[in-house]
Amino acid sequence: EADIYQTPRYLVIGTGKKITLECSQTMGHDKMYWYQQDPGMELHLIHYSYGVNSTEKGDLSSESTVSRIRTEHFPLTLESARPSHTSQYLCASQRQGSHEQYFGPGTRLTVT
Amino acid sequence: GESVGLHLPTLSVQEGDNSIINCAYSNSASDYFIWYKQESGKGPQFIIDIRSNMDKRQGQRVTVLLNKTVKHLSLQIAATQPGDSAVYFCAENMNSGYSTLTFGKGTMLLVSP
């Protein structure tokens, strides 16, 4: 069982609010990822990091930002939430040299 | 752009049957491929991976086949159980210099007792 956690699990918030989705892993993995997934659809990579102070944008354009100040922590921030941001956000981590990405349980975000 | 896709959106089988889930990919330069299982309300769970220089790889009750000639990937599940019911995604690593994955559309596997 992978030790990767996401909070909150569910969030309903009004348009224009700033939100931060938390992701933490206790496995010491250098690589971490954020994906966006609409119900029943494929995952789209929005951000990734290969280590502390390293962040890159993924394939899907996103208005969110990320930071990687500590190895175990990779928060995602939306400065001004919009209804189009309604989706599930999945965080994953990966050990160097392995193909396997371990996923957290996800945060289901609804912006009203 | 190049993408990974699945042929069947839903597959219904009886418990004990063998299941085959298919995936077509278009990037012949992909370095490796992975199958993930996602149960309702959970994050995806790694099942098995296969490098592009392999044709077949076996795990516990699962086998992944890679046909590079027709750019086709399949996941075979032996003796399917109700606990196998989930959405299955294939993913490919399109850039060997990075470990990022491109996911295909999922296939829902429904196993009836």
Side-chain angles (χ1 to χ4, degrees):
Chain A
E1 191 76 20
D3 296 322
I4 181 164
Y5 309 98
Q6 290 186 244
T7 58
R9 290 293 313 278
Y10 303 92
L11 179 63
V12 180
I13 200 164
T15 297
K17 300 292 186 182
K18 177 180 178 179
I19 58 171
T20 296
L21 308 184
E22 302 289 347
C23 176
S24 295
Q25 49 95 7
T26 58
M27 298 171 283
H29 291 170
D30 287 325
K31 299 178 180 180
M32 295 190 73
Y33 308 83
W34 274 105
Y35 293 88
Q36 185 173 339
Q37 182 184 32
D38 291 327
M41 301 297 287
E42 66 268 42
L43 285 70
H44 293 285
L45 180 68
I46 51 176
H47 296 283
Y48 61 100
S49 167
Y50 285 168
V52 171
N53 295 324
S54 153
T55 61
E56 301 287 345
K57 289 186 180 294
D59 303 324
L60 182 67
S61 176
S62 174
E63 294 165 345
S64 58
T65 59
V66 291
S67 63
R68 189 85 183 278
I69 299 172
R70 303 198 317 264
T71 297
E72 63 271 21
H73 196 212
F74 191 39
L76 181 144
T77 297
L78 278 168
E79 292 292 333
S80 180
R82 295 208 307 257
S84 61
H85 295 139
T86 295
S87 189
Q88 174 161 255
Y89 292 84
L90 290 159
C91 179
S93 72
Q94 182 180 6
R95 178 177 54 83
Q96 188 74 28
S98 169
H99 293 166
E100 183 174 355
Q101 293 184 16
Y102 293 89
F103 282 83
T107 293
R108 188 166 295 280
L109 173 66
T110 302
V111 183
T112 60
Chain B
E2 302 194 271
S3 63
V4 177
L6 294 175
H7 295 303
L8 297 172
T10 303
L11 177 64
S12 298
V13 300
Q14 293 289 320
E15 182 178 1
D17 288 351
N18 295 331
S19 302
I20 300 176
I21 301 172
N22 297 301
C23 175
Y25 67 93
S26 57
N27 189 345
S28 57
S30 288
D31 187 32
Y32 59 87
F33 304 84
I34 301 179
W35 281 100
Y36 278 92
K37 171 187 180 183
Q38 187 174 27
E39 296 175 276
S40 180
K42 296 184 179 180
Q45 180 182 8
F46 176 93
I47 300 173
I48 192 168
D49 64 346
I50 186 168
R51 285 196 174 274
S52 59
N53 62 356
M54 301 171 67
D55 298 322
K56 179 179 179 179
R57 189 164 188 220
Q58 289 184 289
Q60 188 176 14
R61 279 201 308 120
V62 296
T63 301
V64 57
L65 298 178
L66 177 61
N67 186 331
K68 292 180 284 295
T69 301
V70 295
K71 297 179 184 174
H72 185 266
L73 187 71
S74 69
L75 177 70
Q76 300 178 2
I77 305 173
T80 312
Q81 303 167 357
D84 294 327
S85 294
V87 177
Y88 290 79
F89 293 94
C90 64
E92 63 179 326
N93 171 246
M94 296 172 69
N95 189 333
S96 60
Y98 299 87
S99 55
T100 54
L101 296 175
T102 298
F103 281 77
K105 292 177 170 57
T107 292
M108 169 75 80
L109 176 64
L110 298 174
V111 183
S112 303

